[in-house]
Amino acid sequence: MLLTYKEARKQVGSRSELARALESGAMRRIARNLYATDGEDSMLEALSMLYPEAIATGQTALYLQGLIDSPPDVIELATKRGGTKISNPAIRQSFIPQEWLRLGASTLVHDGAEVRVYDRERMLLELMRSRSKLPYDIYREAVGSYRKLADKLDIYKLEEYAASMPRGGSYLGRVLEEVF
């Protein structure tokens, strides 16, 4: 179980007891303000606690939603433009304007960890937006998965998201050509 510093201190009683728990191995320090009580902590769970405003995007979101089979090499997170840079080498951070950062943000549970991720409609537009940056096989696999889900996608959400994004109309046109 992952705990913040306050939660860990409350669980053991005091700051000195927390230090003893860390020395004895009863508790581990994962990062600043983040502690684990067991060895079964998830990287995604830790990231969602460390960066609560970050949203999984790119190949990470496609994988978490079951649209591609291969797990990503790095975890891709979207944060607000002008925010603090994440210096973890396992994370690829993209800065998104505040106006459309939360557009389509939702949560899903993956391996017991609650993760903020973009919904399928937003990720479809993101897929079209970043298609030249993705490996071709991953792009084709994701488009194929979206074709299978075409009847479950909300076209009104797609239109709303496209209207809010820069060049969203061209991405929506590409969606209509390749998926529907």
Side-chain angles (χ1 to χ4, degrees):
M1 175 201 287
L2 293 177
L3 305 168
T4 63
Y5 172 75
K6 283 184 179 181
E7 294 168 341
R9 200 174 89 192
K10 185 178 179 181
Q11 184 172 340
V12 295
S14 68
R15 198 164 91 188
S16 60
E17 289 296 323
L18 179 59
R20 279 195 271 288
L22 290 170
E23 286 175 17
S24 70
M27 197 170 287
R28 292 183 300 122
R29 184 172 188 255
I30 305 282
R32 183 174 184 233
N33 195 34
L34 190 62
Y35 298 86
T37 58
D38 55 23
E40 296 296 318
D41 53 304
S42 158
M43 176 71 157
L44 288 171
E45 185 179 13
L47 289 175
S48 65
M49 287 187 75
L50 286 172
Y51 312 109
E53 294 298 313
I55 302 169
T57 188
Q59 289 183 43
T60 305
L62 292 171
Y63 175 73
L64 292 174
Q65 292 180 359
L67 298 168
I68 61 173
D69 292 330
S70 56
D73 297 332
V74 295
I75 295 174
E76 296 180 53
L77 295 178
T79 58
K80 71 177 179 177
R81 185 171 285 163
T84 306
K85 173 125 175 65
I86 299 172
S87 60
N88 189 331
I91 298 171
R92 183 179 303 136
Q93 182 180 15
S94 58
F95 295 98
I96 307 290
Q98 186 70 34
E99 308 84 62
W100 49 289
L101 175 66
R102 291 190 178 90
L103 189 67
S106 63
T107 58
L108 68 91
V109 178
H110 180 76
D111 290 339
E114 194 169 292
V115 182
R116 289 188 62 187
V117 65
Y118 286 124
D119 62 15
R120 288 184 173 158
E121 289 81 6
R122 168 71 187 262
M123 277 311 302
L124 181 54
L125 291 172
E126 290 291 324
L127 179 67
M128 296 301 145
R129 187 172 77 88
S130 62
R131 80 178 188 171
S132 62
K133 297 176 187 173
L134 287 171
Y136 183 72
D137 58 333
I138 290 177
Y139 175 77
R140 295 306 321 156
E141 182 181 358
V143 168
S145 295
Y146 272 114
R147 284 185 184 143
K148 292 175 188 171
L149 296 171
D151 59 334
K152 296 178 184 169
L153 294 174
D154 187 349
I155 192 73
Y156 297 112
K157 265 189 192 179
L158 276 168
E159 290 173 345
E160 177 189 336
Y161 295 165
S164 302
M165 295 173 70
R167 293 187 297 278
S170 65
Y171 304 139
L172 182 60
R174 195 174 298 148
V175 164
L176 295 175
E177 286 176 16
E178 293 197 34
V179 176
F180 292 100

